[in-house]
């Protein structure tokens, strides 16, 4: 009886990856932990497989940063009968989230991030709603521009305050006022109030302030009409 030759071990089909899968895996990790090797380990492939789709770590992080900000700008579904206020609140919330993500990935952002389709549709609906309420097309787009700047500035301030819970400029101003003795009592109390507000409370106040200006423009348009 002859000896049976040992069976040759069959190699399994290598796991298929592409750029989208690579970016998706990297997005699930904190930016500081993203490396070509860590992403390859997460995907269960050899690091060399990643180089067919991504040149190096810098390119990978740039792709991840753009994808993260774009995802944050995705707008949720809003009812067709939503008014301009609801549209404004949803859009401002999306931009604030994008600002927070952008701050996290700022060192890796290499180019402007395009607004996703859902965000474009929401913005188009808001501009149309503002125009219907009496704002000129110029006033409508400038109102959105102000809203966007406020939302991103709010996000930057929130990120700056994360280590201590307050904006880094506040302790310096408080110390400066303390050196003035009893002077500027109102200013000192005001800074104390701001220090006790949450980021959501400050964002909500600013948003109502912006929308109040938009309503004023609407009233002006109706009066002129």
């Amino acid at each position: 009886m002859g000896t049976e030759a040992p069976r040759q071990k069959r190699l399994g089909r290598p796991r298929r990856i592409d750029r989208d899968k690579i970016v998706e895996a990297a997005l699930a990790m904190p930016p500081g932990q993203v490396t070509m090797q860590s992403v390859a380990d997460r995907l269960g492939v050899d690091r060399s497989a990643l180089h067919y789709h991504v040149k190096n770590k810098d390119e990978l992080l740039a792709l991840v940063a753009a994808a993260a900000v774009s995802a944050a700008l995705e707008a949720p579904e809003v009812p067709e009968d939503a008014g301009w206020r609801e549209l404004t609140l949803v859009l401002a919330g999306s931009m604030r989230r994008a600002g927070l993500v952008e701050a996290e990935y700022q060192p890796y952002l290499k180019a402007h991030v395009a607004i996703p389709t859902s965000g474009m549709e929401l913005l188009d609906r808001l501009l149309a709603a503002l125009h219907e309420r009496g704002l000129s097309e110029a006033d409508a787009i400038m109102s959105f521009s102000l809203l966007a700047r406020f939302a991103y500035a709010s996000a930057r301030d929130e990120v700056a305050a994360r280590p201590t819970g307050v904006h880094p400029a506040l302790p310096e101003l408080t110390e400066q006022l303390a050196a003035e003795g009893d002077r500027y009592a109102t200013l000192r109390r005001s800074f104390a109030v701001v220090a006790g507000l949450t980021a959501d409370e400050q964002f909500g106040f600013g948003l109502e302030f912006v929308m109040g200006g938009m309503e004023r423009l609407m009233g002006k348009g109706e009066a002129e009409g």
Side-chain angles (χ1 to χ4, degrees):
M1 184 175 178
T3 304
E4 185 177 352
R7 293 184 180 181
Q8 185 175 5
K9 186 177 180 180
R10 296 181 61 185
L11 296 176
R13 178 179 295 179
R15 182 175 297 185
R16 295 183 62 182
I17 62 170
D18 55 27
R19 178 173 285 191
D20 289 341
K21 285 186 174 62
I22 293 171
V23 171
E24 182 181 354
L27 278 171
M29 305 167 62
Q33 296 180 15
V34 174
T35 64
M36 297 292 279
Q37 186 62 60
S38 64
V39 174
D41 291 343
R42 193 176 190 89
L43 290 170
V45 299
D46 189 87
R47 188 176 68 175
S48 61
L50 269 63
H51 289 285
Y52 285 103
H53 309 281
V54 181
K55 291 180 181 178
N56 50 40
K57 177 183 174 181
D58 288 342
E59 183 182 13
L60 172 59
L61 283 168
L63 291 170
V64 171
V69 177
S70 182
L73 285 170
E74 286 283 356
E77 291 187 12
V78 183
E80 289 297 326
D81 59 350
W84 72 270
R85 287 185 66 87
E86 183 175 355
L87 293 170
T88 299
L89 289 170
V90 173
L91 189 58
S94 294
M95 290 187 293
R96 182 191 181 194
R97 288 192 299 274
L100 293 172
V101 173
E102 186 173 308
E104 185 178 11
Y105 285 93
Q106 186 61 52
Y108 316 114
L109 283 171
K110 304 299 182 183
H112 174 73
V113 179
I115 302 176
T117 300
S118 62
M120 294 288 283
E121 291 176 348
L122 186 62
L123 175 55
D124 186 71
R125 288 175 61 185
L126 173 60
L127 295 176
L130 294 176
H131 190 51
E132 289 175 3
R133 288 297 303 270
L135 269 65
S136 67
E137 291 185 349
D139 285 346
I141 192 63
M142 285 192 292
S143 295
F144 165 72
S145 179
L146 178 62
L147 181 70
R149 288 198 296 272
F150 161 69
Y152 276 92
S154 175
R156 287 195 297 271
D157 286 345
E158 184 174 343
V159 171
R162 280 178 177 172
T164 60
V166 297
H167 194 282
L170 197 58
E172 296 178 6
L173 290 170
T174 301
E175 183 178 348
Q176 181 181 351
L177 288 171
E180 297 291 338
D182 295 331
R183 300 177 66 189
Y184 311 121
T186 304
L187 191 57
R188 186 181 295 107
R189 288 196 303 272
S190 299
F191 281 148
V193 170
V194 171
L197 295 176
T198 66
D200 287 343
E201 288 172 330
Q202 294 183 52
F203 179 72
F205 174 82
L207 189 52
E208 285 295 331
F209 195 86
V210 173
M211 290 194 294
M214 294 161 72
E215 283 185 308
R216 185 173 181 275
L217 287 175
M218 292 173 191
K220 179 182 177 181
E222 292 173 357
E224 292 177 350

